[in-house]
Structure formats: C-alpha cells, structure tokens
Amino acid sequence: MQENEPQNIAFYWSTVFVRTLFEEGVQHVVISPGSRSTSLTLAFSAHSGFTKHIGVDERSAAFTALGLAKSSGKPAVLVCTSGTALANYYPAVIEASQSGVPLIILSADRPPHYRGLGASQTIDQLKIFGNYPVFFHEVGEPDTNPRSLKRLQLSAMQAVQQSVDETGVAHLNFPFSKPFEPDPKFLKKTEFENEKHSRKPFPKYSQQIGEMELGETFWSDLISAEKPLIIVGPTSVSDPLDFITPLARTLEAPVLAEPGSQVPISRHTIQGFDGFLRNTANWNGLNADLILRFGQQPVSKALNEYLDKNSDVMQVSFMNPKQWVDGSLSSHKQIQLKAPLNIPDVTGSADKKWLKKWKKTEKDFKAFREEHLHPSTPITDGYVFSKVSETQPKKSFVMLSNSFPVRDMSLFGEFDGKEIYVNRGAAGIDGITSTAIGLSIANENPGCLMIGDIAFIHDTNALLMAKEVKQPLVIVVLNNGGGTIFRMLPIHQMRMKDKYTTYFETPQNTKIAALCRAHDIDHILVSRPEQIIPTFDKLIEKKGVHVMECITDADESMEQRHALWNFKITDSS
Ligand SMILES: Cc1ncc(C[n+]2csc(CCOP(=O)(O)OP(=O)(O)O)c2C)c(N)n1
C-alpha cells in the first residue's frame, strides 16, 4: 500500500483528517507557509472542496479566519508551522473565544522526543492558548493503524462540533517527523480521489436547536410590564436572536439594538440612543420598569450608565452560555440562552405612550443631529459617518473598528437593515482590517470598513491578503491624526499636552497612500464634504479592496460629538 511507504504516511494521515473536516462542512482554510506543516498544507492543496487562502503573517491570517467564520457562520481553519508562528494566532484566539466565533487551529510541531532540547523552531505548543480554547487535542504521530486513523477522524469531528456548539476555538497540535514530502505520484493519486470526495454529498454537521420555553409565571411577569425595554449588545455568530422582533411586538417594547447586534430594523428599533441618553436629564419619561438584555455588554457609554443607574429596575440578562455578561452588575436574573425563545400567544400591557415616547425622542434627536451636521472643510468624523451610511447600499455589510468608529456609527450613522460586524470580544484595535478582509471573502455582497488611522496602521499586513478579495471592499480610513478617543480621558484635560500627545494620541507620519501603493491598492484622498458620497459610490461598485482616506479635523469632530451628547429633550419631545 502506498500510504504505508515512510514518505507518504504523514501526507496520508493529513489527508484522512482533512477529508473528515470537509465531510463536517468546513469550507475556508487560511494557510501560512512553513516546513513542518508541509503534509497538512499539501493535504488541503490536494482537496478542491476547500477554499484556500494564503496568509504569510499568522497574526493577520488568524484575524482573516475570524472574519471568514463570522461571515459564513461556519468554523474557519488555520494551518501553521511550529514555533512562534502559532503564538501569533493569540490575539485572534482571544477575540474568537470572547465573542463566540468558531475557529479550528492546526499547528504542526516537532515530535515529543525533540521537544525541550533546544531544537530549532521548537516551543511548548501544548495548551499554548491556556483556557481560551473550547477543545485541545495532541493528535499523536502519524501512522496507518486503523484505530489511530479512527481516532484521528474523531478528533476532526470533535474540533468542528465543539467549536460550533461551544462557540470558540479548537486547537489540534500535530507532531510530524521528516520526511514531510509525499511521493508526487501518491499526491496525484490522492488528488484524483479527492475530486470524487469533494463532489460526494455529506450530511453536514449542524446543531438542531429547538426553542427555549420560559415558564408561565415568567411570562406573566414580562407581560405585566408597563414600560418594558429590550437592549441588545453586539452578538456572536451563534446567538439565536431571531425572536427579538416578535418579542418586542408581544411586549410592545422599544429595542435599543447596537451596531453589531444584527437585529433587523423594525418599528420597535430605536437609533441615536448613544446621543440622547448621554444627558441624564433626558431619562425622565424614558425610565423602564423591566429591562431585558441580550448579547454582549453594550458599547455605548450612555447605555451602560443607564443600566447602571437603573439597577433598581428588574433587569433580566439572557446570556450566551459561555459568556457571563453583566459588566454593570445590574442584572437581577441571568438566564442562559441555549436556543431561541419560544414566544407564546400572549399580549403585553405596555403603556400606549411608552414606545411612542422613545420614537419621538429618536425623531427629535435625528432632527437635532441634522442641524449640527452641516458640511464644513475640513470635514469631521461624524460627517463622514453620516454621509457614508446614507449612501451605502442596503445589501452590503459594514465592519466597524474599535475606538470611535463603533461609537460614531451609533451617534452619527443610520444602520437600518445593514449587516454590521464588530470585534467586541476583547475590543482590540488589532486585526481589524484582516477581519474585514475575511468578512468580505466569505460574503456575497460589497462591504465597507470604517477605521481610524492608528488601527489601520496597526494592521497593514492585512493588505497582503487584499488580492483574495473579490467583492468590492471600501476601507474608509478616518485620518484624524492619531488615537483621538483618548481625548475622552482625564489626562487630556490635565494641561500636559506634550505627554498626552506623545504617549496617548500618538499621531503618526505614515503615508497611507504610499502603503497602498506598495500593495497595489487604489487609494483616494478625501478632504472636502462634497467628495465623500461620489467617491464612496464609485469605489463600492469596484471589485477588490480600495482605500478612501478621509482627512478629518479632530477638534471639530470632538466638538460635534459633544454637541450631540448635549441634546436636550424639550417639552414637545
Ligand atoms: C491591540 C490594542 N492596542 C491598544 C489598544 C488601546 N487603544 C484603544 S483606542 C486606541 C487608538 C485608536 O486610534 P484610531 O484607530 O486612530 O481611532 P480614533 O481613536 O481616532 O477613533 C488605542 C491605541 C487597544 N484597544 N487594542
């Protein structure tokens, strides 16, 4: 048997594993170059059923896989060689674990008898990600014993099922000895067999979730609320939240859904709350008697304060079983949401004026915002947000970087019906462009990334993968000259301007246009208000990655935010 020939064993072993991943429904694989991982890499390359992506920087590759998994809803696979290559996955592992995104990591390693002896590119890879993964397995050295092969197949199934069911990262460590390269004839034969394998329909692994029932007494509490409020923070791929709109309808409750919550727009959804809830004087008339919370901790400062200060109001948190979410420590009851809620045929008793009051406040706030968002040169971050969200096609996705972008979308943007993604598991500014590239590769629609200059510069290696992007992806860089969110900190008010600028805001002189040129990516500079919409409209029609760098005024942008946060509800509101 050819698979028993010494040079073919590792490749055959990898092929058996890879075929099982395919049978379990895996599609996207991001491979980084290396020698020890040769047989895994060749096994994927020989199977046409997978879509392969090459990422030379493992840190960026891992965030790309995160985006692929977020967009496709299926686990994405990563392959790397031994040593620090694997450690570079760490930030994305944390983000995936904390935001519930399924990833499968396949790391090649030296076999145990080489470890701990100073052999090159050898580090301790066992459980390197500590408690973050939901599954870890040391696969064992390749052999063709039927029992070993059965165990290997089972480990592929476990990786898929656990990463999906427990919404997180599975890490499998593969020790390999030389020779890594199979006989080319054996590779060709395997490739031929894989052709048949890739066309065979396999029942893909999918979780069958029923509906979760809440007891009768629970419902009677919910429907007796006169001022019920639903709050939805960013959600993860697997959060079963399709019932939010029917729930809101039943309770006649306003829904404060943050960007990234993926809650569709309805007559219950309220926007602009990060603006009008900032001023606590506005809470009069908006205080709920029941708060139902879903998703991750809200991003909005105003909303978090509202939750905090309303700790005497009944707050029920419906949580992803893996993530305890209650940063404000204000919820009275925590319920693990393992399946969508069954909404019974009941009628709520909300005050008729309750939803209307929220709607009216939203409308008045938007009118107030309109007045404050007049075009000016230089442009502001807020103006860019308002114009881009106004012109963005309905059928498109948006990725929001951390720092101001995720907040500015709430304050200045309209996000009706758009698919919005955020990395709020660990809220890093790292890997944002890579995530957006992954999102775009697995998405049928055009997309746009809204990102600050520092976060963009932090992840320029993402541009190495830009050539994989087939749909239009517009990267809108809000170049306001540094990390301006730090202007919200007390240190900014402390009359230590030089220290503040040097150590916090950290303006850079990097030429973004030159960076784009180096990667052969279109770059357009925007500095006047009338350029925003025509430039964006042109780029969102063009396939591939394009950078629209908006030079914005940081002082004016801050003033505009403060103006909106100072909105006051008048008697007529
Ligand atoms: C990996 C990582 N490093 C550092 C931080 C701290 N941090 C938060 S916001 C920020 C500045 C971001 O600047 P930019 O992307 O230009 O956005 P802006 O503040 O102007 O909105 C930094 C460094 C972080 N969140 N993540």
Side-chain angles (χ1 to χ4, degrees), residues 401-405 427-430 451-456 458 478 480 482-486:
S401 178
N402 286 315
S403 209
F404 270 132
I429 57 151
D430 46 348
I451 187 167
D453 48 308
I454 298 290
F456 181 75
H458 201 288
L478 296 132
N480 51 21
T484 55
I485 194 144
F486 293 126

Side-chain angles (χ1 to χ4, degrees), residues 63 91 381 401-408 424 426-432 451-458 477-487 503-506 552 554 561:
F63 276 106
D381 292 348
S401 178
N402 286 315
S403 209
F404 270 132
V406 65
R407 296 169 171 90
D408 282 348
R424 291 303 295 180
I429 57 151
D430 46 348
I432 301 286
I451 187 167
D453 48 308
I454 298 290
F456 181 75
I457 291 165
H458 201 288
V477 181
L478 296 132
N479 191 350
N480 51 21
T484 55
I485 194 144
F486 293 126
R487 294 187 182 200
Y503 294 109
F504 296 89
E505 201 157 304
T506 56
T552 62
R561 290 183 187 101

Side-chain angles (χ1 to χ4, degrees), residues 301-495:
K301 189 170 180 228
L303 200 47
N304 279 309
E305 199 179 343
Y306 178 90
L307 285 171
D308 201 16
K309 296 272 165 57
N310 276 292
S311 56
D312 52 338
V313 173
M314 182 51 144
Q315 294 191 22
V316 184
S317 258
F318 291 83
M319 294 174 306
N320 179 317
K322 254 201 77 206
Q323 289 146 8
W324 200 262
V325 177
D326 188 15
S328 47
L329 289 180
S330 55
S331 61
H332 300 97
K333 192 154 186 56
Q334 288 88 11
I335 297 176
Q336 294 202 349
L337 192 67
K338 294 182 180 143
L341 276 192
N342 173 34
I343 316 287
D345 193 12
V346 289
T347 313
S349 31
D351 182 337
K352 294 273 168 293
K353 293 196 210 114
W354 173 238
L355 179 58
K356 280 197 192 131
K357 170 80 183 167
W358 280 90
K359 280 279 165 204
K360 173 85 171 58
T361 309
E362 177 193 40
K363 191 166 158 239
D364 290 351
F365 173 74
K366 285 186 179 175
F368 177 82
R369 183 171 72 190
E370 228 9 69
E371 276 168 36
H372 282 80
L373 271 178
H374 35 76
S376 58
T377 306
I379 48 180
T380 59
D381 292 348
Y383 193 76
V384 176
F385 264 90
S386 92
K387 291 291 133 188
V388 167
S389 73
E390 180 188 315
T391 192
Q392 202 186 357
K394 266 235 147 41
K395 268 191 159 236
S396 62
F397 76 86
V398 189
M399 167 84 194
L400 300 171
S401 178
N402 286 315
S403 209
F404 270 132
V406 65
R407 296 169 171 90
D408 282 348
M409 182 56 126
S410 290
L411 195 59
F412 300 103
E414 287 290 322
F415 42 100
D416 312 15
K418 285 176 201 115
E419 202 181 319
I420 301 187
Y421 296 95
V422 290
N423 278 355
R424 291 303 295 180
I429 57 151
D430 46 348
I432 301 286
T433 307
S434 303
T435 308
I437 285 179
L439 286 167
S440 176
I441 294 171
N443 207 298
E444 296 172 345
N445 294 320
C448 125
L449 163 65
M450 308 293 288
I451 187 167
D453 48 308
I454 298 290
F456 181 75
I457 291 165
H458 201 288
D459 192 25
T460 52
N461 272 0
L463 301 180
L464 292 165
M465 295 198 77
K467 50 190 170 302
E468 304 250 357
V469 171
K470 302 289 178 285
Q471 293 294 334
L473 175 65
V474 185
I475 301 180
V476 179
V477 181
L478 296 132
N479 191 350
N480 51 21
T484 55
I485 194 144
F486 293 126
R487 294 187 182 200
M488 303 294 291
L489 300 178
I491 187 123
H492 182 244
Q493 320 301 335
M494 285 178 166
R495 278 189 262 133

